[in-house]
Amino acid sequence: MSLTPHFVERARSSLERLSCWWRCWGRSTDVNVLSQLILEAESNLVQSIKEFGVIQGKLEALNHDFLKLNHERDALQKSFETLQISHTDLKQEHVAQSQVLNEERVASQIVQVNLKKLSQEFIILTELKDEIQQSFDRLYISHTDLKQEHEAQSLVLQNERAGFIVMQTSHIFLKDILSAQDDYLPKHQNFQRLFYDDFMAFANSENFFDREADAVLQLQAVSDEVRLLSRFPVFREKTIVAIAGGFSSGKSSLLTSFFDDKSLVRLPIGIEPVTAIPTYIVSGERSVITGFAAHGGTVAISSELYAKMGHKFVESLGFDLRRILPFVALETQWTDQLDHLCFIDTPGYNPPSIGITASDSTATVEALQQADAVLWVIALDANGEISHSDIEYLTAHLPLTPLGIVINKADLRPLTQVMEVMKQIGDTLDTLGIEYIGISAYSSVEKRELAFEKASLQEMLQIWNVPSLRKDRLIADVKQVFDSYRDAFLHEIEHRKGLATIVKDQLLDLHELGIFDEEIQESNADDTNKYETSESIENVNPIPTLGSLLKDKLDTKSPIEIKEKRSVRAQKVRQDLSQRLNDMNGRTDLLILNELLDTATHIEEAMTEVLNDEW
């Protein structure tokens, strides 16, 4: 194809040379025809060349497609060969599967036979399963019952083990208390001798003082404090603040909130009556708990044991622990500087009237009689008000003791309600004339004060946080007891003198009226002064028939029968007076009262001398 253009060019060149010759020869027409033919041939040639190019392109495409088809044919050939092989394999496999299928058909028939047998066995097994399920249910119920019984017995065993541990601990604790060696504390022993021997004999010999139980409790409190101060000198200059209130009001939790976080001691706390033993608590560098045995001597108490010494622990002993362990002393770290304070954690003043807690009120009274100040705790989780029994108790036992009110558990209510309760309590106390330093709304859990009225809790504690000579306070308590006796005796003396004067006047009036005959008048004249000695002076006025005698005497117009009746009545009066005079024992009550006054003064002086001696 590449020579064709060249060939046309050569033909054109040859035609041009030939046309020169042919024109010379006169053959121009032939030259033109030939030129035209050459041009057409050239045009056809160009067209043919183009068509040839197209045909050549198609040919090349066809060659490419041919090659591709050859490749595909080769691939199909290979696939065909592979398929033939697969076909052969499948054919062989089909034959094998046909054999297997035949075998499976035979096996299926066998399975069908076996299935029928299995169906029958399944029915039997289903019935057996139901029976087994019923047995299982019964066993499960039995197992559950046994499990519950096991758990109950495990709990009982656990409780018995715990009870045994508590019993063992209690036994060791009681053994330590009962075997504690008596501390040689001369001051306390001398005071105890005066209290139990002299004072108790004195108290049993008189029956004129109607508040003798309070006096005994007050002197018992003095005796306990003498023992405490003799054993622990650190208490001698402390101001005693009693933490008091109803049971479960939060007294122990309030005190525990004062403890430093490093302190290992925790007071018994709970929703039931907890505090069983009055506890004296002071600030110290380390935690020390000491129990005071009733017979003398002390015993160390671990913080773990002390935390359990609530009413449940005491009730588990079967008797009142206070009979052998009347009080406990505790030293521990404080969060604030309260070096001059000694707190008393007291039982609730209003315990149930049965069981071990029945004596809590007595223990609380004894503790309050030692107090220089009182924090009265009211729980806000109850009605949040000061109860009528609280008011009666404050009025009866704390008439002159500085008083602060703490509303504990104040975090349980919104602050607005706390403020209302605080104002209501303040108004109640003001109305009843009960003086108080301040009212504090406090949270023992959060260890902070939420609100206060008049004075905060910290301000109240700082007011009391000053040294106090306990010796002077004890002497004042002893003096107060015997002043009460003296006042009662002097009042009785004046009362009896007044009654004697009345009797004398009545006898003179009867004498002037001539009620008695000469024998009676003579007897009255001799024994007039003896009326001061009769235990029945108060009963002279209601002498039988005396009013009738006077009436008959004044009635001058009474008949003979009335005069005879009057004579009989006069004889009866004379016999009554004679009998009463004969009942006298020869010692006048006035002399007895004067002797009791002397005895009381002697015991008071002896107790004061013991307290004034060198500690």
Side-chain angles (χ1 to χ4, degrees):
M1 294 296 294
S2 59
L3 297 178
T4 301
H6 181 66
F7 172 77
V8 172
E9 187 64 27
R10 288 175 59 192
R12 183 178 295 165
S13 177
S14 300
L15 179 60
E16 288 178 356
R17 289 192 304 266
L18 182 60
S19 62
C20 291
W21 291 100
W22 282 9
R23 285 188 184 100
C24 293
W25 295 338
R27 296 184 68 178
S28 299
T29 303
D30 294 332
V31 172
N32 290 334
V33 172
L34 184 59
S35 296
Q36 186 66 34
L37 292 174
I38 291 173
L39 289 172
E40 291 178 0
E42 184 179 5
S43 177
N44 292 331
L45 181 60
V46 170
Q47 183 67 30
S48 297
I49 292 172
K50 289 180 180 179
E51 292 177 357
F52 178 77
V54 172
I55 292 170
Q56 189 176 13
K58 291 181 178 180
L59 180 61
E60 290 177 355
L62 290 173
N63 287 331
H64 180 267
D65 293 338
F66 178 75
L67 292 174
K68 184 178 179 181
L69 290 173
N70 283 336
H71 288 303
E72 291 178 356
R73 185 200 63 186
D74 295 338
L76 290 173
Q77 184 66 31
K78 292 179 180 179
S79 298
F80 177 75
E81 293 174 355
T82 302
L83 288 174
Q84 279 186 333
I85 295 171
S86 298
H87 175 72
T88 303
D89 294 338
L90 289 173
K91 188 175 181 180
Q92 294 175 354
E93 184 178 355
H94 174 70
V95 173
Q97 287 181 352
S98 296
Q99 294 176 354
V100 171
L101 182 59
N102 292 330
E103 293 175 357
E104 287 180 350
R105 287 176 180 172
V106 175
S108 175
Q109 294 175 355
I110 297 172
V111 167
Q112 289 292 333
V113 174
N114 293 332
L115 182 60
K116 291 181 180 179
K117 295 180 180 180
L118 290 174
S119 298
Q120 297 175 354
E121 294 177 357
F122 176 76
I123 295 172
I124 297 173
L125 290 175
T126 301
E127 295 175 353
L128 182 61
K129 170 184 167 297
D130 294 337
E131 294 178 0
I132 294 174
Q133 183 65 40
Q134 293 176 359
S135 300
F136 175 79
D137 293 339
R138 289 192 296 270
L139 290 174
Y140 181 79
I141 294 173
S142 177
H143 170 74
T144 303
D145 294 339
L146 290 174
K147 184 178 180 181
Q148 292 176 353
E149 183 178 356
H150 172 72
E151 292 176 351
Q153 290 180 351
S154 299
L155 183 60
V156 170
L157 180 61
Q158 183 178 356
N159 292 335
E160 288 179 351
R161 287 177 178 173
F164 174 76
I165 294 173
V166 172
M167 185 182 300
Q168 188 178 33
T169 304
S170 303
H171 174 74
I172 296 173
F173 182 50
L174 295 177
K175 180 181 177 182
D176 292 341
I177 294 174
L178 297 175
S179 62
Q181 295 296 323
D182 188 5
D183 294 335
Y184 181 70
L185 304 172
K187 185 180 292 292
H188 177 251
Q189 290 180 352
N190 291 336
F191 193 90
Q192 282 283 86
R193 176 182 55 77
L194 289 172
F195 175 66
Y196 283 109
D197 296 343
D198 298 357
F199 174 77
M200 293 305 294
F202 159 75
N204 291 329
S205 67
E206 67 84 24
N207 58 356
F208 304 105
F209 188 47
D210 58 355
R211 292 188 293 111
E212 198 159 67
D214 292 338
V216 172
L217 287 176
Q218 190 165 353
L219 287 182
Q220 180 63 58
V222 172
S223 177
D224 290 343
E225 191 168 344
V226 168
R227 183 183 176 195
L228 177 68
L229 299 182
S230 300
R231 180 67 173 78
F232 288 100
V234 69
F235 286 85
R236 293 178 186 173
E237 296 184 357
K238 302 294 185 183
T239 297
I240 294 183
V241 178
I243 308 298
F247 75 87
S248 298
S249 59
K251 301 182 294 297
S252 297
S253 62
L254 172 65
L255 273 173
T256 302
S257 71
F258 296 162
F259 294 173
D260 190 274
D261 292 336
K262 298 178 182 178
S263 174
L264 300 177
V265 179
R266 291 295 180 268
L267 301 178
I269 296 174
I271 60 175
E272 300 294 335
V274 174
T275 303
I277 308 296
T279 303
Y280 296 82
I281 308 169
V282 295
S283 175
E285 295 181 357
R286 58 193 182 93
S287 297
V288 179
I289 308 174
T290 306
F292 285 75
H295 66 276
T298 57
V299 57
I301 303 175
S302 66
S303 57
E304 294 80 6
L305 176 60
Y306 181 70
K308 299 176 182 177
M309 286 176 56
H311 277 291
K312 288 186 177 180
F313 175 81
V314 174
E315 289 176 357
S316 69
L317 301 178
F319 69 98
D320 190 353
L321 182 61
R322 284 191 292 263
R323 293 168 55 189
I324 62 173
L325 190 74
F327 61 93
V328 172
L330 166 62
E331 292 184 65
T332 190
Q333 300 93 334
W334 297 98
T335 55
D336 297 320
Q337 296 298 323
L338 302 173
D339 297 335
H340 301 297
L341 292 183
C342 170
F343 292 98
I344 306 180
D345 185 22
T346 65
Y349 77 92
N350 54 349
S353 58
I354 59 174
I356 302 300
T357 60
S359 62
D360 283 359
S361 180
T362 302
T364 302
V365 171
E366 182 179 331
L368 292 178
Q369 288 174 341
Q370 304 175 49
D372 299 303
V374 174
L375 280 178
W376 192 265
V377 183
I378 302 171
L380 199 59
D381 61 345
N383 54 14
E385 300 177 0
I386 187 165
S387 66
H388 182 66
S389 59
D390 283 3
I391 294 172
E392 287 184 344
Y393 198 87
L394 288 172
T395 305
H397 298 285
L398 302 171
L400 301 176
T401 308
L403 175 66
I405 306 296
V406 176
I407 305 174
N408 201 3
K409 307 178 185 180
D411 55 299
L412 299 180
R413 292 195 185 182
L415 185 58
T416 54
Q417 292 186 13
V418 173
M419 299 295 290
E420 292 176 0
V421 170
M422 197 162 47
K423 183 179 183 304
Q424 186 175 12
I425 292 176
D427 292 342
T428 301
L429 295 176
D430 291 337
T431 302
L432 297 173
I434 299 177
E435 295 185 0
Y436 62 94
I437 298 175
I439 302 176
S440 171
Y442 190 81
S443 169
S444 298
V445 176
E446 300 177 2
K447 293 187 177 183
R448 68 185 183 95
E449 185 177 55
L450 279 70
F452 67 89
E453 184 176 327
K454 293 180 69 174
S456 67
L457 177 60
Q458 187 64 29
E459 289 172 345
M460 289 187 282
L461 294 178
Q462 290 303 326
I463 291 173
W464 301 325
N465 188 30
V466 293
S468 174
L469 292 178
R470 301 305 306 164
K471 179 186 72 173
D472 295 342
R473 171 61 189 268
L474 295 178
I475 293 174
D477 288 345
V478 171
K479 184 177 184 301
Q480 181 184 5
V481 169
F482 287 100
D483 284 347
S484 299
Y485 273 101
R486 276 190 289 270
D487 292 342
F489 293 160
L490 292 173
H491 175 75
E492 185 67 22
I493 290 172
E494 294 300 322
H495 177 63
R496 289 180 178 274
K497 285 181 178 180
L499 290 176
T501 301
I502 293 173
V503 170
K504 290 178 182 178
D505 293 341
Q506 289 179 345
L507 290 175
L508 288 174
D509 292 341
L510 293 174
H511 177 70
E512 292 176 357
L513 292 173
I515 297 298
F516 303 121
D517 56 20
E518 295 181 358
E519 181 181 356
I520 298 177
Q521 294 172 8
E522 183 179 355
S523 176
N524 288 339
D526 293 337
D527 297 330
T528 298
N529 291 332
K530 293 183 180 180
Y531 275 96
E532 295 182 1
T533 69
S534 174
E535 295 180 357
S536 304
I537 289 178
E538 296 180 359
N539 297 324
V540 170
N541 285 334
I543 294 176
T545 71
L546 181 58
S548 299
L549 287 174
L550 291 173
K551 180 178 178 182
D552 294 344
K553 182 64 180 179
L554 293 175
D555 188 3
T556 57
K557 297 181 180 180
S558 55
I560 299 300
E561 293 80 4
I562 294 178
K563 291 182 179 181
E564 291 178 353
K565 184 185 295 185
R566 183 185 65 194
S567 176
V568 173
R569 292 174 180 171
Q571 183 69 17
K572 177 63 176 176
V573 171
R574 185 186 68 79
Q575 292 175 356
D576 289 341
L577 288 175
S578 298
Q579 180 64 38
R580 296 184 186 190
L581 293 176
N582 291 331
D583 290 339
M584 293 175 55
N585 58 11
R587 296 181 61 195
T588 68
D589 288 343
L590 292 178
L591 290 176
I592 294 175
L593 287 168
N594 284 317
E595 289 178 1
L596 289 174
L597 278 173
D598 294 338
T599 303
T601 302
H602 171 73
I603 297 174
E604 178 187 2
E605 291 174 352
M607 287 185 172
T608 303
E609 183 179 355
V610 170
L611 294 175
N612 274 322
D613 287 343
E614 187 69 24
W615 285 80

